[in-house]
Amino acid sequence: QKVTVEVLDHLEHLALVDFRDSEGVERLQKAIQFAEQLHEVNTDGVEPMDSVLEDRCLYLREDDVTEGNCTKELLKNAREKVEEYFVAPPGNIPLPKLEERETFLQDF
Amino acid sequence: GGLRLQVSAALREGRVAPTELCQSCLALIKSTKFLNAYITVAEESALKQAEESDQRYRRGQPLGALDGVPIAVKDNFNTAGIETTCASNMLKGYISPYNATVVQKLLDQGAVLLGKTNLDEFAMGSGSTDGVFGPVRNPWSYSRQYKEKSVPKSSCEDKECEWVIPGGSSGGSAAAVSSCTCFAALGSDTGGSTRNPAAHCGVVGLKPTYGLISRHGLVPLVNSMDVPGILTRSVDDAALVLGSLAGHDPKDSTTIQDNFKPFELPNLTDVSKLSIGIPKEYHAPGLSSEILALWSKAADLFKDAGAKVIEVSLPHTRYSIVCYHVLCTAEVASNMARFDGLEYGHRGAMKQSTESLYAATRREGFNDVVRGRILAGNYFLLKQNYENYFVKAQKVRRLIANDFLKVFRSGVDLLLTPTTLSDAVPYPEFIKEDNRTRSTQDDILTQAANMAGLPAINVPTALSERGLPVGLQFIGRSFQEKQLLTVAKWFEKQVKFPMIQLEEVKRHDHGVFQHQKSASFS
């Protein structure tokens, strides 16, 4: 059961990484195939496990400000900034559709 | 009494000064550069820390057993002012603005941070071969023990002889400890990444119980399984380092709030009250006959000493790696989303939209392995797949954790298993298979402990026929590190694993680099 081009395209949109080449797609196919083995296990009546520490209470500290004021430090690692802002290109513009963008999936 | 590394005694007695020790280690790092164990050597800051330690010793006020002791840290832990790359183009040039809690704790004890060690990119891998700074070489490749056993190639250029992998993903840390360039190193362990290289490099590799040691500042791979790992040359050393790292951290809400008391390991003489479980499913396909024999010999060792040794079953063992595969890729897909080029790390050149910027950044910054896991993880998290893969895996996870619970409830104190399927393979052979296949094969014996959050330790046991280290693994009950390490120490004493005979180490040794051991188990 092969993954369709639509799903592959959808994944590239969600993950914002590309498959790059047929090897990348093969890799995903193999990963899915490998995961199929899970269906051999009978999990009727079994609750999913989120954390091995599920029987304990998560630690919550007091909602007091104890540190911060490190704007300068944090901005040091950003490539593009203006005053105290990280600079980003315009948002709310989706990636071009499959036919219009440079992706290996075009020839898939 | 008091907790001590052998080197601590030397420092305290004034036989060697922290600056001397630091300089020796730095010199050894330089002369073992071919191992590629270090990504960054923090020479200046290390010497400064060593000088401050000198002064404390002169005043007779060392901070503790770790004061002045050179250590190394895997390059996926944040270290203030020092580049943290995770061996990825995504973080090249990223200078951490803070110390990971575990790093801070070591520095607060006066430890000297020599540098950041090499790993598989973002800790994904089992060979330390998939990072952007190149592969790490197992120091044992250059040991007399290995060279004596290997058939020399006709035209073998000195360091280019067929070297073997150190295991991964904390291969750099394991190699650093194994080659004596530091006395302890931090690794991380999500599927076996501390124990696997420990086994291949002949060092002690401890995976603590999930929730015992803070993950704050450790670049996350799988939030529900990651733990900082400890690599040392002896079990006592591991206990010492554990003592300085364990305990609740308000900055990591997944650390338990129980009070942790550092402990010194007793010298166990009577194991007759011990019950050791031998899980039959760990006789996995592909397990070398050599390791099988060693495992059996170890079981007999306990039996002959009066312990109860019984075969047990962990029926869902073979699904552990599949389960891991799904949960890991899913969590990775989430954790890697933070790398978009805006706040830190590599930034692509696209300016049309944030999405195209993120896509370009991630296209350029991640290697195939990372990208592959992100895409797979996203697939398993798709609405149409969520129940069938992600939730299903979470259910299987519970079954795996329950397997262990049942066994421990039946009276078994510890489990004894092999750590790896074979001794270290040569690099050209290792890279013939792709990363996921390799990880699948190599993590099979270590992965379940991460699934269940249990503590586990690799203890170097013997040399293989090829002259390379082989280790065995003990898995303990949750938060019972003292029992785990006590038994591990007893075992370590019985097997007397040999010291590595490395030319470079002999040249730089002050007599403090290695413990005195002779004879061997095999």
Side-chain angles (χ1 to χ4, degrees):
Chain A
Q1 197 183 2
K2 284 212 150 207
V3 184
T4 62
V5 161
E6 285 74 39
V7 172
L8 293 174
D9 181 39
H10 185 45
L11 288 174
E12 281 198 346
H13 267 93
L14 286 176
L16 289 178
V17 297
D18 62 321
F19 282 97
R20 186 98 19 129
D21 48 31
S22 59
E23 222 179 282
V25 178
E26 241 331 278
R27 209 176 283 127
L28 177 68
Q29 290 287 164
K30 285 205 195 115
I32 300 168
Q33 204 180 354
F34 187 62
E36 293 298 342
Q37 291 176 69
L38 278 180
H39 299 127
E40 294 169 22
V41 188
N42 185 340
T43 52
D44 291 342
V46 181
E47 283 299 300
M49 179 182 242
D50 292 312
S51 164
V52 295
L53 299 177
E54 61 189 2
D55 292 333
R56 293 173 185 256
C57 260
L58 204 64
Y59 172 74
L60 290 175
R61 66 180 178 86
E62 286 305 309
D63 190 9
D64 293 324
V65 175
T66 53
E67 51 180 30
N69 286 325
C70 49
T71 316
K72 229 168 95 183
E73 276 299 308
L74 296 180
L75 285 173
K76 272 196 197 142
N77 279 304
R79 298 284 159 98
E80 282 187 45
K81 49 213 170 200
V82 165
E83 291 178 16
E84 292 189 342
Y85 294 88
F86 294 113
V87 176
N92 268 332
I93 301 173
L95 276 188
K97 289 209 202 63
L98 183 58
E99 315 82 62
E100 290 150 30
R101 74 175 196 277
E102 244 188 77
T103 166
F104 154 76
L105 295 178
Q106 271 208 29
D107 321 311
F108 197 61
Chain B
L3 304 169
R4 61 176 66 119
L5 291 166
Q6 281 209 347
V7 67
S8 308
L11 285 167
R12 218 179 27 257
E13 291 158 21
R15 279 185 277 132
V16 67
T19 40
E20 271 182 87
L21 199 54
C22 183
Q23 274 155 0
S24 285
C25 286
L26 289 171
L28 186 54
I29 292 175
K30 283 200 186 90
S31 64
T32 53
K33 210 157 174 207
F34 52 89
L35 296 177
N36 202 21
Y38 289 81
I39 293 177
T40 303
V41 180
E43 188 159 337
E44 246 181 75
S45 59
L47 284 168
K48 186 154 162 278
Q49 286 160 17
E51 266 160 33
E52 288 166 9
S53 179
D54 263 8
Q55 288 171 25
R56 288 191 293 266
Y57 273 104
R58 262 184 256 134
R59 287 198 308 265
Q61 294 169 338
L63 292 166
L66 286 173
D67 203 336
V69 176
I71 54 144
V73 168
K74 186 175 180 182
D75 208 16
N76 60 350
F77 285 92
N78 275 278
T79 43
I82 301 176
E83 195 181 4
T84 299
T85 68
C86 296
S88 175
N89 280 318
M90 190 57 92
L91 286 177
K92 254 193 193 162
Y94 167 71
I95 311 280
S96 308
Y98 71 110
N99 280 321
T101 297
V102 289
V103 172
Q104 190 61 53
K105 285 187 167 190
L106 289 173
L107 293 176
D108 287 344
Q109 289 289 304
V112 173
L113 178 58
L114 293 174
K116 310 298 288 299
T117 57
N118 204 351
L119 59 155
D120 281 304
E121 181 161 337
F122 279 111
M124 300 185 200
S126 57
S128 304
T129 52
D130 273 321
V132 295
F133 298 102
V136 179
R137 301 183 181 196
N138 190 327
W140 283 83
S141 315
Y142 304 98
S143 66
R144 169 138 42 112
Q145 290 107 323
Y146 179 62
K147 287 194 198 156
E148 273 172 3
K149 298 293 183 83
S150 59
V151 178
K153 295 214 137 95
S154 49
S155 60
C156 192
E157 265 314 295
D158 193 32
K159 295 302 178 204
E160 288 315 305
C161 284
E162 213 175 49
W163 50 272
V164 298
I165 56 150
S169 60
S170 312
S173 281
V177 173
S178 169
S179 59
C180 303
T181 57
C182 64
F183 290 81
L186 290 184
S188 64
D189 196 311
T190 305
S193 289
T194 288
R195 292 159 285 155
N196 174 292
H200 287 316
C201 292
V203 297
V204 171
L206 171 64
K207 175 212 167 293
T209 309
Y210 179 86
L212 184 62
I213 299 187
S214 173
R215 291 180 298 113
H216 175 74
L218 166 62
V219 177
L221 187 60
V222 183
N223 294 317
S224 68
M225 295 183 215
D226 289 350
V227 293
I230 296 169
L231 295 138
T232 54
R233 290 196 285 279
S234 78
V235 177
D236 270 331
D237 292 354
L240 176 64
V241 177
L242 177 71
S244 64
L245 295 182
H248 178 61
D249 179 16
K251 293 183 184 171
D252 176 359
S253 55
T254 60
T255 52
I256 60 160
Q257 294 156 64
D258 300 6
N259 233 324
F260 174 82
K261 277 202 213 81
F263 48 78
E264 207 168 311
L265 296 177
N267 276 314
L268 194 64
T269 44
D270 175 24
V271 296
S272 60
K273 295 196 188 62
L274 225 59
S275 173
I276 307 279
I278 308 287
K280 62 181 188 193
E281 291 85 1
Y282 278 62
H283 185 348
L287 185 66
S288 82
S289 48
E290 231 181 356
I291 298 192
L292 182 61
L294 218 57
W295 184 21
S296 184
K297 204 162 168 190
D300 288 341
L301 190 74
F302 278 99
K303 235 182 270 168
D304 295 340
K308 183 167 161 215
V309 179
I310 54 170
E311 188 189 75
V312 296
S313 175
L314 298 168
H316 295 93
T317 299
R318 66 190 183 94
Y319 294 108
S320 158
I321 203 71
V322 188
C323 188
Y324 174 68
H325 164 72
V326 173
L327 294 179
C328 174
T329 50
E331 293 215 35
V332 160
S334 171
N335 281 321
M336 295 295 132
R338 73 193 66 194
F339 298 107
D340 53 25
L342 282 185
E343 302 95 335
Y344 43 72
H346 176 69
R347 182 185 179 117
M350 305 292 264
K351 290 185 198 289
Q352 292 94 298
S353 65
T354 47
E355 297 230 346
S356 65
L357 168 64
Y358 295 173
T361 298
R362 293 154 72 79
R363 186 193 165 88
E364 293 154 20
F366 291 139
N367 74 1
D368 287 349
V369 178
V370 179
R371 281 189 0 264
R373 291 201 195 187
I374 293 172
L375 288 163
N378 272 293
Y379 179 82
F380 297 130
L381 292 171
L382 286 176
K383 202 153 68 165
Q384 67 254 39
N385 295 329
Y386 196 82
E387 275 295 321
N388 286 330
Y389 291 93
F390 183 68
V391 177
K392 181 77 180 180
Q394 288 191 307
K395 292 179 179 177
V396 176
R397 181 175 185 176
R398 183 177 297 284
L399 292 176
I400 292 167
N402 286 345
D403 278 357
F404 282 102
L405 274 177
K406 274 198 210 108
V407 165
F408 285 130
R409 268 192 205 131
S410 74
V412 168
D413 299 305
L414 293 166
L415 299 171
L416 169 63
T417 81
T419 312
T420 54
L421 295 175
S422 72
D423 56 1
V425 301
Y427 177 68
E429 189 182 316
F430 185 80
I431 56 174
K432 277 200 200 126
E433 301 267 22
D434 72 88
N435 185 292
R436 187 184 60 78
T437 312
R438 275 296 176 198
S439 301
T440 309
Q441 295 161 346
D442 301 334
D443 288 347
I444 223 159
L445 303 169
T446 48
Q447 210 300 300
N450 298 85
M451 226 21 119
L454 299 171
I457 186 169
N458 171 77
V459 181
T461 307
L463 293 185
S464 68
E465 264 168 37
R466 287 162 66 217
L468 294 172
V470 168
L472 289 176
Q473 171 178 240
F474 292 92
I475 304 175
R477 300 171 187 226
S478 264
F479 302 107
Q480 300 304 309
E481 269 78 356
K482 184 166 182 190
Q483 180 180 57
L484 177 71
L485 290 166
T486 300
V487 176
K489 177 174 167 174
W490 179 86
F491 183 69
E492 175 189 59
K493 214 158 140 211
Q494 311 305 309
V495 303
K496 300 195 189 61
F497 183 78
M499 289 189 300
I500 187 174
Q501 285 165 30
L502 214 56
E503 208 36 65
E504 290 78 6
V505 173
K506 273 196 223 121
R507 254 186 279 141
H508 295 278
D509 197 355
H510 274 253
V512 293
F513 277 169
Q514 303 186 63
H515 302 278
Q516 298 312 304
K517 284 204 185 98
S518 56
S520 53
F521 190 44
S522 62

